Amino acid sequence: EWAIRFEHAAKTYAAGSSASRAHAPAAVDDLSLDVRTGEVLVLVGPSGCGKSTTLRMVNRLVEPTGGRVLVEGRDVATLDVVELRRHVGYVIQNVGLFPHRTVAQNVATVPRLLGWDRGRTRTRVAELLELVGLAPDRYARRYPHELSGGERQRVGVARALATDPPVLLMDEPFGAVDPVGRRRLQDEFARIQRELGTTVMLVTHDVDEAVRMADRVAVMSTGGHVEQLAPPLDVVAR
Ligand code: ADP
Ligand code: ADP
């Protein structure tokens, strides 16, 4: 059973001028790939090979120029974007918290957009902060600049999980965190992921992270070509 399916998905970015457009290579050429329900699929590969593009086709930050992407059986192109993003959380490096909003307000962003009432939102925010290891009493009213890098990433994860999305996209989620903090975050995230059964696509440069986090690793080369797709230890052994 799969949660995300790429069917000959392709993306060629429109270049500035028609002359360069003619030569623009596809960022992702022809990608067919299934991500199984509940697995952590890690994408690795050289910079510029199409990893972020692949991820962003799932939540429609990037619209494919060919083929299609399905989430839980539905072509994402046919879904309302707000609806889609309730089902697909997104965590990036340096997370993009709103600097003038408290931790609680940041985590409450999507519930508020969806018009949840105060009580439900408050309960959910507290639950999420607990889940990512930030005691609400201590953290809810702080501002992002009053947090460490690792704590900020935790807030980003909490915010992405607010609507309990079955799918989570993570692009270098722990890249800005020091090595010790990163290991703790990886372990805690793995625990959360198992507990929730979330399907995860994760992009990383860090081979150690790939080995620790992945159920399967997709090794990509230029054009989003999947060269290998296997459990991490099989990939490393080659
Ligand atoms: P990766 O995540 O593997 O580093 P990306 O998916 O970011 O790779 O990029 C793949 C290719 O697409 C690169 O050649 C990159 O320069 C290009 N690209 C990415 N985003 C854009 C964009 N918004 N406009 C034009 N080209 C882009
Ligand atoms: P505002 O004044 O904009 O309503 P608050 O900072 O009081 O903002 O709260 C923002 C959101 O975070 C609200 O949904 C609130 O219920 C929630 N929240 C605030 N403090 C806590 C807390 N200690 N525990 C859980 N949720 C909280």
Side-chain angles (χ1 to χ4, degrees):
E1 206 190 333
W2 52 270
I4 307 169
R5 169 169 284 176
F6 297 85
E7 286 181 354
H8 302 289
K11 175 65 184 180
T12 302
Y13 289 100
S17 71
S18 53
S20 48
R21 185 176 309 144
H23 299 286
V28 173
D29 200 19
D30 178 5
L31 175 66
S32 294
L33 174 69
D34 283 356
V35 185
R36 297 169 185 157
T37 303
E39 82 170 327
V40 178
L41 184 103
V42 174
L43 301 180
V44 299
S47 182
C49 74
K51 303 181 297 296
S52 298
T53 300
T54 298
L55 220 57
R56 290 170 177 192
M57 285 195 282
V58 180
N59 65 0
R60 289 183 58 189
L61 281 176
V62 166
E63 302 282 356
T65 48
R68 55 182 201 156
V69 180
L70 308 172
V71 170
E72 300 193 308
R74 300 169 72 187
D75 182 345
V76 298
T78 68
L79 297 175
D80 172 62
V81 172
V82 174
E83 179 67 20
L84 172 65
R85 290 183 192 164
R86 281 170 67 171
H87 289 267
V88 180
Y90 188 46
V91 179
I92 57 173
Q93 186 173 359
N94 293 323
V95 112
L97 297 179
F98 303 114
H100 302 298
R101 295 194 191 168
T102 63
V103 165
Q105 287 166 343
N106 268 284
V107 176
T109 302
V110 174
R112 283 182 156 187
L113 278 174
L114 297 173
W116 293 16
D117 67 45
R118 297 179 74 84
R120 183 179 176 201
T121 303
R122 192 181 175 81
T123 304
R124 185 65 181 144
V125 169
E127 216 171 71
L128 288 160
L129 291 178
E130 294 282 2
L131 183 70
V132 299
L134 300 174
D137 291 355
R138 285 186 58 200
Y139 287 97
R141 299 202 170 272
R142 289 202 204 169
Y143 286 87
H145 75 269
E146 299 170 317
L147 305 175
S148 71
E151 288 166 346
R152 279 198 286 273
Q153 291 307 112
R154 289 168 194 264
V155 176
V157 170
R159 186 174 61 180
L161 292 175
T163 56
D164 210 357
V167 170
L168 191 60
L169 310 174
M170 306 181 90
D171 198 337
E172 298 277 352
F174 312 129
V177 181
D178 67 87
V180 175
R182 190 181 306 176
R183 269 186 96 111
R184 274 186 52 200
L185 271 177
Q186 288 163 350
D187 291 345
E188 290 191 31
F189 178 75
R191 172 186 58 75
I192 292 168
Q193 186 272 336
R194 280 194 302 271
E195 192 177 313
L196 302 178
T198 312
T199 304
V200 176
M201 283 189 86
L202 184 148
V203 167
T204 186
H205 280 112
D206 178 349
V207 173
D208 186 54
E209 179 163 289
V211 171
R212 289 171 71 82
M213 309 282 294
D215 292 307
R216 291 189 299 161
V217 175
V219 181
M220 281 190 161
S221 63
T222 305
H225 294 154
V226 176
E227 301 293 335
Q228 293 181 51
L229 179 60
L233 295 179
D234 295 354
V235 171
V236 171
R238 289 210 211 179

